[in-house]
Amino acid sequence: MSVIALVSGKSAGVTCSALALALSSPKPSLLVEADPAGGTIRAGYLGGEGNASTGLHRLAAADRQGTLAREFSQHFVSLDRDNTGQRLLLPGLTDPTQAASLSRTWEPISRLLGVMDQTGHDVIIDVGRILTESETRLSTTRYPTPLLHRADAVLMVVRTTQASITTAAPAMRVLREELAHHGTGSDALGLLLIEEGPFNSSQVQQYLQAPVVGMLAWDPDSADVFTHGAYKKLPRTLLRSARTAHQTINELVTRRRVQLQPAAVPTLAGRAS
């Protein structure tokens, strides 16, 4: 079980990547559309199912009324075609102007996502393109920064093209500083590559100075289904590569959790022996 946040320096396929990880997780999963630019999965992949009475945009009011913890799971919708409840979605904002109202709610939401992790879910967070307030800080008013602070891993989604790699570099610098000083450490930062361009993982890793912890196939057919609707036949290439990516992502999460555990304090019985 893990909490994974996906980000980008510029549009790089974060939503499709997050959806692929959520649908391919070996465990029950919750996908959170936290991109302040707004959510697209309900209108796209789910073909417009559901209504605006549920979703992230309703949680700010619940927080103000003191009912956030009780109402939180009521805003989940199913990503499963058979509604088994194994794949859940917290739909995103319906209007980007709603993002400011959540500035004080991201922190309690991050704690509730930690509870979902403890109940056996992989939590995948689509945080979209980063928004900064300085060269070393993420925005704390327009961006869900607390979700990154508490995540087990923060993965920069990068296409293996010159343009995507170049635009990721300044974003990586900001994230590295942010996580080092306000998160669980800069070693939470990794790369999730989309194999679109000519550069290999070693080249991208060396340029961006971060480990590659997952590779996703360049699969325009799957991306089209994820973007425009589940009524089409779902190609499997992207999902297969996402299942493989889960293995290395989980290795990173496990290693970091062990490292972050407080050292055991010797007991009196242990000293006596």
Side-chain angles (χ1 to χ4, degrees):
M1 291 68 72
S2 55
V3 180
I4 308 298
L6 269 58
V7 301
S8 71
K10 196 173 182 180
S11 179
V14 174
T15 299
C16 285
S17 300
L19 186 50
L21 289 177
L23 292 175
S24 64
S25 171
K27 307 177 186 71
S29 61
L30 169 65
L31 173 55
V32 181
E33 279 192 289
D35 187 344
T40 60
I41 292 176
R42 183 154 48 186
Y45 177 69
L46 294 180
E49 295 180 7
N51 56 66
S53 65
T54 58
L56 189 67
H57 60 292
R58 299 289 186 180
L59 297 184
D63 187 29
R64 290 193 298 270
Q65 295 164 6
T67 59
L68 178 62
R70 185 171 71 248
E71 293 185 24
F72 188 59
S73 63
Q74 297 174 13
H75 290 272
F76 299 165
V77 300
S78 179
L79 282 172
D80 289 323
R81 297 181 180 183
D82 53 5
N83 291 312
T84 63
Q86 293 297 297
R87 312 293 181 200
L88 299 171
L89 169 71
L90 175 56
L93 303 178
T94 58
D95 185 334
T97 60
Q98 298 164 341
S101 68
L102 283 162
S103 60
R104 296 183 179 180
T105 308
W106 291 124
E107 181 62 35
I109 287 176
S110 72
R111 294 194 294 269
L112 289 170
L113 293 179
V115 173
M116 292 297 296
D117 164 42
Q118 294 169 15
T119 60
H121 288 75
D122 275 337
V123 179
I124 312 297
I125 311 173
D126 172 5
V127 202
R129 180 179 179 176
I130 71 165
L131 296 176
T132 62
E133 60 186 29
S134 72
E135 292 184 356
T136 59
R137 285 302 313 267
L138 295 175
S139 173
T140 56
T141 58
R142 299 175 296 128
Y143 197 65
T145 301
L147 303 187
L148 276 65
H149 290 169
R150 288 177 174 265
D152 292 304
V154 177
L155 305 184
M156 174 70 71
V157 179
V158 184
R159 300 175 189 265
T160 55
T161 63
Q162 183 71 54
S164 185
I165 296 167
T166 301
T167 56
M172 291 290 289
R173 289 194 292 270
V174 175
L175 285 170
R176 193 172 284 111
E177 289 291 318
E178 183 76 37
L179 296 175
H181 294 96
H182 306 283
T184 60
S186 60
D187 61 335
L189 185 58
L191 302 172
L192 181 64
L193 302 187
I194 299 175
E195 299 178 279
E196 179 185 2
F199 296 95
N200 60 41
S201 60
S202 296
Q203 291 171 311
V204 181
Q205 184 168 275
Q206 182 177 7
Y207 185 82
L208 295 178
Q209 294 297 294
V212 173
V213 296
M215 305 280 290
L216 298 181
W218 170 241
D219 184 1
D221 289 336
S222 288
D224 183 62
V225 173
F226 286 169
T227 303
H228 300 296
Y231 58 87
K232 302 176 183 178
K233 183 178 179 180
L234 185 62
R236 299 295 177 183
T237 305
L238 179 54
L239 291 179
R240 282 196 298 269
S241 64
R243 279 192 290 271
T244 301
H246 268 291
Q247 298 174 12
T248 51
I249 293 170
N250 287 333
E251 289 172 4
L252 170 64
V253 170
T254 300
R255 183 171 64 252
R256 295 199 71 249
R257 287 189 171 185
V258 170
Q259 293 172 345
L260 290 171
Q261 285 180 349
V265 178
T267 64
L268 290 175
R271 291 173 182 172
S273 61

